[in-house]
Amino acid sequence: MIYIRQINIDCGALREAGSYVAGLPFLRNWMPLTLDAPVTFFVGENGSGKSTLIEGIAVVAGFNPEGGSKNFNFSTRASHSDLCDHLRLTRGLDGKWRDGYFLRAESFYNVASNIEELDRIPAVAPKISEAYGERGLHEQSHGESFLALMRERFFGRGLYILDEPEAALSPARILAMMRLMKQLVAKDSQFIISTHSPILTAFPGAAIYQLGEHGIRKTAWERTDNVLLTKRFLSSPESILNVLFDES
């Protein structure tokens, strides 16, 4: 299913507003971005704008900037950019998603804390934490809680926007995550993900967009910078490290 078909940004309005976002390289020569696969990845170096873009998409889609489902409305610190004010989403023809979640790796701790706070409200029944499995999210490792979220809380026909979900996962757990994604795609779900992981971006049939000084462009998995650098390092770590540590 494709619930979000196109992403467009009014770059002129961003510049007029004096937004720092207008200076991000990925907005150079920006054209409306059409999503044509159930899984879309945004990749690029630190500072390329991946998280800013994914955050803007999530906020416009109706999610809390710090993460969670549409029912979350807490704020630890308002730090999201104004990109959302100038970003427009075009819905696909597949109808409305029934489930949805914005997983932001850096603030998922805050989401877990908010769940515990809501559970302590007597009028809230059943407890929100019950949707996330038998163990509380704070009672698990960071990586375990990520997988528990996907395994227990995501139920399909959903729009799932994930910002660097591999941050807390080992390579083996990234593979486990990909298996869960495959099951959810089979249940009519769409994923939009920012990531640095060359493993995760190998998901079959996914569309990959690389952000960089060139702007943003669709790129084959084997041509992404992360894959090229990882292959080069694994093929000859000594040569890479010798150059890296050469003081001359």
Side-chain angles (χ1 to χ4, degrees):
M1 289 286 186
I2 307 294
Y3 300 112
I4 293 180
R5 174 67 64 181
Q6 192 175 82
I7 303 165
N8 198 12
I9 299 171
D10 188 339
C11 297
L14 269 174
R15 287 190 292 269
E16 289 177 9
S19 173
Y20 78 91
V21 176
L24 291 173
F26 83 87
L27 288 175
R28 293 174 183 167
N29 304 313
W30 171 269
M31 297 291 289
L33 202 64
T34 299
L35 308 186
D36 54 9
V39 177
T40 300
F41 291 110
F42 295 118
V43 302
E45 257 305 336
N46 296 130
S48 62
K50 300 185 306 302
S51 293
T52 300
L53 177 58
I54 209 87
E55 172 194 82
I57 295 169
V59 172
V60 173
F63 297 102
N64 188 52
E66 290 190 48
S69 70
K70 286 192 173 184
N71 295 324
F72 283 78
N73 193 32
F74 71 94
S75 177
T76 305
R77 180 176 182 272
S79 60
H80 60 286
S81 76
D82 59 350
L83 177 62
C84 58
D85 297 330
H86 308 284
L87 185 149
R88 299 291 177 267
L89 301 176
T90 301
R91 300 284 180 88
L93 302 176
D94 297 323
K96 175 68 175 177
W97 61 85
R98 295 178 184 171
D99 187 31
Y101 215 92
F102 176 31
L103 169 62
R104 189 170 190 170
E106 67 178 1
S107 58
F108 188 58
Y109 180 94
N110 300 338
V111 173
S113 297
N114 187 244
I115 291 171
E116 289 189 347
E117 292 172 6
L118 294 173
D119 272 358
R120 288 193 287 268
I121 300 175
V124 177
K127 299 300 183 184
I128 295 174
S129 60
E130 293 178 10
Y132 294 79
E134 295 181 358
R135 295 174 62 196
L137 295 174
H138 277 323
E139 296 173 6
Q140 307 175 57
S141 73
H142 204 187
E144 287 176 322
S145 67
F146 278 28
L147 289 178
L149 168 70
M150 293 190 64
R151 184 176 59 249
E152 305 290 345
R153 169 58 185 77
F154 293 6
F155 56 80
R157 196 168 176 83
L159 172 65
Y160 304 116
I161 303 174
L162 315 180
D163 183 23
E164 299 185 6
E166 79 283 359
L169 301 178
S170 70
R173 292 296 186 264
I174 291 174
L175 294 175
M177 175 189 166
M178 293 171 73
R179 181 176 176 84
L180 292 171
M181 287 173 56
K182 180 68 173 176
Q183 294 168 353
L184 287 161
V185 167
K187 294 179 180 178
D188 297 329
S189 298
Q190 180 181 12
F191 285 86
I192 302 175
I193 304 173
S194 69
T195 182
H196 291 287
S197 173
I199 298 176
L200 186 56
T201 46
F203 190 91
I208 305 173
Y209 291 90
Q210 184 155 296
L211 287 69
E213 294 299 322
H214 51 73
I216 182 169
R217 63 188 178 199
K218 200 170 188 178
T219 308
W221 174 79
E222 63 273 11
R223 299 303 304 166
T224 62
D225 291 343
N226 290 338
V227 170
L228 290 170
L229 180 58
T230 301
K231 282 185 175 181
R232 184 180 175 191
F233 182 84
L234 292 177
S235 66
S236 181
E238 296 84 2
S239 64
I240 299 292
L241 294 174
N242 285 339
V243 172
L244 183 65
F245 299 144
D246 185 358
E247 296 295 338
S248 64

